[in-house]
Amino acid sequence: MNDLFSLQNKRILITGSGQGIGFTMAQGLAKYGAEIIINDISGERAEKAAARLKEAGYKAHVAVFNVTDPQDVEQAIENIETGIGPIDVLFNNAGIQRRHKFTEFPVSDWNAVVAVNQTAVFLVSRAVARRMLSRQQGKIVNICSMQSELGRDTITPYAATKGAVKMLTRSMCVELARYNIQVNGIAPGYFKTAMTQSLVEDSAFTDWLCKRTPAARWGEPEELIGAAVFLSSKASDFVNGHLLFVDGGMLVAV
């Protein structure tokens, strides 16, 4: 039982981990012994992120591919499996945000958000799960959101995609659990990131957030690491189809 949360000998692919929350999770998972595969569409970002992990004494690799391109995804996963080793855990973390009023939302921005936040989760999960099936084991963690359950002004497609990923998580569980593959989601609340920086600096919004959230503050990205470790380790071997909200209590407050 002493190694319940150990990630030794676990190879973890994290999409969109060249920066932001993805990289923070990569650092946290590496500290528990995981071998990290950094993915980003930018080779420069991915290489810099992997170099930082290696400098800290961790095992890290780079996999540059476009998560929205089916052929690119399939080739990249094959390259990882044959060149680096089997993927034990997949984190579908890549995501983007676009903000417009619903009635003025450009179709191009809608399509971009759906491609990265929703379709990419399907594409990468499908490619990885095919290999996990033959091994009869694996874990897939989808990064969902408060908007998997709640709506908000100007981010309709984001909320729509995160709601879809919630149901994709549950449906994948139904099909894959019998093969000893656990599929779960982490749903962050409001965290201080580059994507939310403008909101953090908006005093009116931050005041509203602190009043709306029982913990009365923004979350720090490092506070997602515990959930990531849990869902990557044997501690979660009978947890499946679950969304773990890390939100300071926001979802349950009226």
Side-chain angles (χ1 to χ4, degrees), residues 97-110:
Q97 178 67 286
R98 298 287 186 272
R99 296 179 183 275
H100 304 281
K101 292 181 180 179
F102 172 68
T103 52
E104 299 172 12
F105 223 102
V107 173
S108 58
D109 279 359
W110 168 277

Side-chain angles (χ1 to χ4, degrees), residues 237-252:
D237 280 355
F238 202 57
V239 178
N240 223 331
H242 176 70
L243 258 65
L244 176 52
F245 282 85
V246 186
D247 64 352
M250 188 179 196
L251 185 66
V252 300

